[in-house]
Amino acid sequence: WPTLASGVGCGGLTVPETLGGLGAGVVDLTIGAEELGRVAAAAPMLGTTLATETLARAECETAATVLEPVVGGQRLAALVVTDDAGAWTPDRPATTARSEGDGWRIDGGARGVLDGAGADDLLVLSTTDEGIALMLVDGAADDPHPPRRMVRDDAVPGPMSPADRRLGLDVDDVLPAAVLPRVGVQNPGGPTRD
């Protein structure tokens, strides 16, 4: 993935050039996904695209700091907008975040997080007392559950997210990135592989 992300530009295909990406559109993203599917590449392109699209929309210093190494392929990020049954619920987050000390405690669950396995950073859409917020969580945090099945309950406290890693993003800013899987861009060339 690092070679595809930095050398070919797959890590920031739809990210604006001013943020280090290629500034391409959905057509180019579909072509790239089709080519990866044609060769059955096990690459985290869709999960990375969802994460980079969301980070690019955040327009804050924290997001920019995380975005650069994700675009360059040095880190992986995953957008967590599924519920504990794996359904896409960006308008009804399955996780809650509450202020605790200098950070935020995240509780709830999510399954089927696209490219969540091995993600360095998790962008977790959570409900807070102030509304819906996007929390940036270390994917390698001490967690008894694997990243792809990020299930938590009240008995298992969620990971701490430092206070400065709460991204001030409105849920409407996340929705455009979260609907990409419904467009069918994940490896559309797979079924037509020779």
Side-chain angles (χ1 to χ4, degrees):
W1 178 247
T3 301
L4 286 172
S6 63
V8 179
C10 290
L13 199 58
T14 60
V15 173
E17 291 179 74
T18 56
L19 297 175
L22 296 180
V26 174
V27 172
D28 294 313
L29 173 63
T30 304
I31 292 169
E34 184 171 354
E35 288 303 308
L36 289 174
R38 187 176 60 77
V39 297
M45 185 163 169
L46 181 56
T48 298
T49 300
L50 292 171
T52 57
E53 282 283 308
T54 302
L55 288 166
R57 285 180 169 82
E59 297 180 354
C60 68
E61 188 175 325
T62 301
T65 302
V66 174
L67 181 61
E68 185 179 341
V70 173
V71 166
Q74 294 92 19
R75 293 181 66 83
L76 291 177
L79 180 62
V80 181
V81 292
T82 55
D83 63 17
D84 56 3
W88 284 78
T89 59
D91 54 338
R92 298 178 323 278
T95 59
T96 58
R98 66 182 187 278
S99 181
E100 188 173 293
D102 290 337
W104 294 82
R105 172 79 51 194
I106 299 175
D107 294 302
R111 292 183 195 220
V113 177
L114 286 172
D115 299 319
D120 300 296
D121 297 298
L122 299 173
L123 307 173
V124 183
L125 199 62
S126 301
T127 301
T128 70
D129 289 338
E130 301 161 4
I132 297 174
L134 192 68
M135 311 301 288
L136 187 57
V137 177
D138 183 358
D142 292 335
D143 179 5
H145 308 286
R148 190 167 289 277
R149 187 171 179 237
M150 202 183 84
V151 179
R152 308 194 191 294
D153 59 29
D154 292 337
V156 183
M160 286 296 290
S161 176
D164 66 335
R165 290 174 62 110
R166 175 180 182 231
L167 305 178
L169 202 66
D170 188 278
V171 67
D172 292 334
D173 293 328
V174 176
L175 288 174
V179 297
L180 279 175
R182 297 177 191 197
V183 177
V185 296
Q186 185 168 9
N187 297 346
T192 62
R193 185 168 183 242
D194 296 332

